[in-house]
Amino acid sequence: MTNKPIYVTQPQLPKLEELIPYLENIWESKILTNNGPYHQQLEQALCEYLGVKHIALFTNGTVALVTALQTLRITGEVITTPYSFVATSHSLLWNAIKPGFVDIDPITLNLDPDKIEAAITPQTTAIMPVHCYGHPCDVDRIQKIADNYGLKVIYDAAHAFGVQCHSGSVLNHGDLSVLSFHATKVFNTFEGGAIVCPDTKTKQRVDHLKNFGFVDETIVVAPGINGKMSEFNAALGLLQLKGIDEALQKRKAIDAQYREGLAGVKGIHCLSDAGEKVANYAHFPILVRPEYPLNREALYQKLRDNGIYARRYFYPLISDFPMYRGLASAAQSNLPVASKAASEVICLPIYPALSSEQVDSVIELLVS
Ligand SMILES: Cc1ncc(COP(=O)(O)O)c(C=O)c1O
């Protein structure tokens, strides 16, 4: 039994005293929100760090997803994955769009490009894939399908902060990419999110939409929402960015320690990366296979009994929740790979402050 509970994640925070000067500036200026100086600085800093052209900051990732769909005027049906956090599909329902669930690839657990075409209907207008666990989707094949059928692609990149694929930042793929800066994420602003936009015109539309549709004092061009990030969150983001490389290095070391420690354990499959050039080690998912002496539920409970609060991301599948399960595409027979993964997965604790001894204690429980 470990002394202190170990949770699946623990947010990275800067030193409190480092935040004070930023707060003093905010108190002095009285600029609390609405595209203030820290907001502008963070947008600029994130563009440089992530290697993207334009970023629009948001109050959280979910409002950013809802707004991304509004930005491109997506309607009808959107193809998406059932193997994700509910916000992915919820953003479709908030836009009165019907999700079309498509099964996932057994290796990456991302949307399976081989199965997308068969799910396209005359009502389909877009694809919303997820870079699950920060592992890039097959962006080239997805783009090719989208181009052939005249569909838009909006990536839910909530897990993919800092990830680079063969062509640089994975966030440059698709028409828009949406990030989350929630407390559980690799980079957090307590709550927060962003839309990565390819050009100034799109960024401008997003900026209007996240500010009630206001263009100026008297002109409103769309039924926009309030999705603005506050100066407090933006200031925190600027500080968090200073510690991000060190945090990613620590995550990388934990990932390596798990892989080494679990390499010979029969029935425990560590999900491999998806060939990314730069990974972010956002999660450490394992699949508990029949050769393991315990089933997934028993192992999950054993970990809890020993103070290790791992999580079953992503179980249940989104398609099994009441607001989705009536859809034809939600049938288990349509989603065999996702259903199997959801029944086998456990995400082990991974976060920068997790010590090597703590990782060993988790490994020990899995091995014994
Ligand atoms: C895949 C995915 N999409 C969307 C979200 C929603 O982001 P937020 O919590 O910032 O609204 C999350 C996480 O919270 C997520 O994991």
Side-chain angles (χ1 to χ4, degrees):
M1 175 84 187
T2 48
N3 305 327
K4 263 168 93 183
I6 299 175
Y7 297 101
V8 71
T9 192
Q10 186 185 92
Q12 169 89 344
L13 289 170
K15 288 202 176 74
L16 188 55
E17 59 264 29
E18 287 183 53
L19 186 62
I20 303 299
Y22 289 82
L23 296 181
E24 284 170 350
N25 281 339
I26 293 171
W27 258 245
E28 176 71 23
S29 71
K30 310 278 188 292
I31 301 171
L32 309 188
T33 185
N34 286 40
N35 198 28
Y38 287 136
H39 185 284
Q40 291 178 32
Q41 279 178 47
L42 183 60
E43 286 192 343
Q44 183 63 35
L46 283 172
C47 282
E48 284 164 22
Y49 181 81
L50 296 170
V52 302
K53 287 213 179 87
H54 303 279
I55 269 198
L57 295 174
F58 273 78
T59 185
N60 61 56
T62 305
V63 172
L65 279 171
V66 169
T67 308
L69 290 158
Q70 289 274 324
T71 304
L72 302 179
R73 295 182 179 279
I74 306 298
T75 56
E77 291 179 17
V78 169
I79 285 171
T80 191
T81 169
Y83 192 80
S84 179
F85 184 64
V86 280
T88 311
S89 288
H90 280 1
S91 72
L92 300 174
L93 290 200
W94 273 72
N95 279 286
I97 292 165
K98 182 175 166 188
F101 293 113
V102 163
D103 209 2
I104 56 174
D105 176 271
I107 307 295
T108 63
L109 309 188
N110 283 329
L111 203 57
D112 186 343
D114 281 337
K115 303 205 175 119
I116 292 176
E117 281 189 81
I120 295 171
T121 75
Q123 283 72 44
T124 306
T125 56
I127 308 171
M128 183 180 274
V130 178
H131 301 300
C132 194
Y133 308 128
H135 299 157
C137 293
D138 191 337
V139 288
D140 293 335
R141 286 193 61 202
I142 290 172
Q143 193 58 53
K144 205 160 173 200
I145 295 166
D147 290 345
N148 279 345
Y149 289 85
L151 306 176
K152 300 285 187 196
V153 182
I154 298 176
Y155 280 103
D156 180 337
H159 303 170
F161 187 90
V163 172
Q164 294 195 20
C165 58
H166 56 87
S167 56
S169 174
V170 75
L171 304 172
N172 287 320
H173 289 273
D175 294 280
L176 296 171
S177 286
V178 176
L179 288 161
S180 165
F181 305 149
H182 182 255
T184 51
K185 300 296 185 278
V186 164
F187 171 85
N188 87 77
T189 57
F190 284 17
E191 291 272 4
I195 301 182
V196 175
C197 317
D199 52 56
T200 45
K201 227 166 111 179
T202 313
K203 154 94 166 130
Q204 196 178 59
R205 174 155 168 82
V206 172
D207 283 345
H208 293 159
L209 283 171
K210 79 177 193 189
N211 187 27
F212 311 96
F214 275 109
V215 169
D216 62 26
E217 258 181 66
T218 54
I219 298 174
V220 174
V221 291
I225 199 158
N226 182 357
K228 295 173 270 107
M229 178 182 275
S230 83
E231 282 294 274
F232 173 81
N233 301 93
L236 184 66
L238 284 166
L239 265 178
Q240 297 283 50
L241 210 46
K242 291 185 185 178
I244 189 71
D245 285 332
E246 197 187 330
L248 291 172
Q249 281 310 313
K250 288 185 176 157
R251 284 178 176 274
K252 184 177 181 173
I254 293 164
D255 180 281
Q257 193 179 340
Y258 274 135
R259 283 181 197 282
E260 199 189 324
L262 297 173
V265 185
K266 254 186 145 178
I268 295 289
H269 172 75
C270 300
L271 207 73
S272 53
D273 63 37
E276 52 265 42
K277 283 238 169 82
V278 178
N280 70 1
Y281 313 96
H283 296 85
F284 196 87
I286 58 167
L287 299 174
V288 185
R289 298 262 160 87
E291 309 86 72
Y292 192 71
L294 301 177
N295 66 23
R296 192 273 305 272
E297 292 312 308
L299 177 57
Y300 172 73
Q301 195 53 50
K302 178 181 170 182
L303 290 168
R304 285 179 79 89
D305 292 344
N306 286 274
I308 314 292
Y309 293 87
R311 296 291 298 266
R312 293 162 293 181
Y313 297 141
F314 287 98
Y315 163 84
L317 292 179
I318 298 176
S319 44
D320 286 336
F321 288 119
M323 59 298 294
Y324 299 104
R325 65 185 173 217
L327 295 169
S329 66
Q332 257 200 22
S333 54
N334 185 47
L335 308 165
V337 181
S339 301
K340 185 166 177 283
S343 72
E344 293 181 344
V345 73
I346 297 183
C347 284
L348 299 180
I350 186 166
Y351 52 87
L354 192 67
S355 70
S356 165
E357 293 73 28
Q358 286 174 310
V359 176
D360 274 339
S361 70
V362 178
I363 293 171
E364 208 174 293
L365 281 168
L366 290 164
V367 171
S368 60

